[in-house]
Amino acid sequence: MIRLAERHLAWLDADVLNEYYDLRGWDRLGVPTVATVKRLSIDQLSTVGPVPEG
């Protein structure tokens, strides 16, 4: 389910969602795959701790 506006929701078919994830290079949970992380050179983000508050 995707919230489009305050009271409007859109339901996505599982096949459509899986295709979207495949196109983005994500796994079935919406997490970037190892190949995507390497392609985007964001592998260093996995070692970053929480953002400091304030």
Side-chain angles (χ1 to χ4, degrees), residues 3-50:
R3 184 174 296 282
L4 299 174
E6 183 62 30
R7 289 183 240 156
H8 302 282
L9 301 176
W11 293 93
L12 293 178
D13 180 85
D15 292 334
V16 172
L17 186 59
N18 289 337
E19 183 177 349
Y20 177 81
Y21 285 166
D22 287 342
L23 291 170
R24 295 287 181 248
W26 300 343
D27 67 14
R28 292 298 181 254
L29 297 176
V31 177
T33 62
V34 172
T36 299
V37 169
K38 287 181 180 180
R39 179 176 52 83
L40 297 175
S41 300
I42 57 174
D43 54 331
Q44 70 276 8
L45 294 179
S46 64
T47 61
V48 175

